[in-house]
Amino acid sequence: APASVTVDPAEPERIELRSASGVTYLSSPLHSEKLLRGGESGQQLNPVDELPVWWGESGMPGTSTTQTVVVVGHNYTTREAPFRALRVVEPGDRILLGTPNGTLEYDVETVGPLHKGSLLGAHELRESVPGRLILANCDVVEGESTDDNYVVIAQLAAR
């Protein structure tokens, strides 16, 4: 969203990934219910299906949000899921996050692996940063799972 446009905070409904040249290479609805930690220790984020999902403990997307927003999704070794596309994201690409109140645009700053579970602990990426968006999946390299998440970090575009 251009800096002059205000998008009130709301749960995200849709995500798109676009190359720096404007080509859309992922367009997907988000799961309709936010994701919360699960497992006995409360240290797992396990989406219920292939759709990406907003992590409900993170910030709610909007131009005035002061917290980091996190969207997670599956990546599989044997079948397709939308967040498999995270492996092709590059700095300079654009993320569009649609909400009932409008669409937010983010510029990708960094991409790469992060040890699995790091986002659930006291990691620096958990710090509240206004306008920051993090996308994460379970990393798969050459058809094999790794001990990492693949993470895309973006910042709300100032247009």
Side-chain angles (χ1 to χ4, degrees), residues 5-21:
V5 175
T6 299
V7 176
D8 291 329
E11 291 188 21
E13 299 175 325
R14 177 159 207 79
I15 189 165
E16 286 189 17
L17 301 179
R18 293 185 182 166
S19 68
S21 64

Side-chain angles (χ1 to χ4, degrees), residues 53-137:
V53 61
W54 170 61
W55 182 16
E57 295 174 41
S58 71
M60 187 167 298
T63 52
S64 64
T65 299
T66 59
Q67 296 175 296
T68 297
V69 175
V70 180
V71 176
V72 299
H74 283 297
N75 187 9
Y76 301 107
T77 58
T78 59
R79 66 183 197 258
E80 294 290 323
F83 262 26
R84 177 169 277 197
L86 294 191
R87 264 289 178 177
V88 299
V89 176
E90 296 180 351
D93 285 358
R94 177 66 53 99
I95 301 168
L96 280 69
L97 196 60
T99 77
N101 297 331
T103 299
L104 299 154
E105 295 184 26
Y106 297 84
D107 293 318
V108 174
E109 295 181 336
T110 61
V111 299
L114 178 69
H115 188 72
K116 200 171 280 188
S118 295
L119 284 176
L120 297 172
H123 194 276
E124 64 185 27
L125 289 177
R126 289 292 308 276
E127 294 175 9
S128 292
V129 175
R132 180 165 63 185
L133 172 66
I134 296 175
L135 308 180
N137 71 7

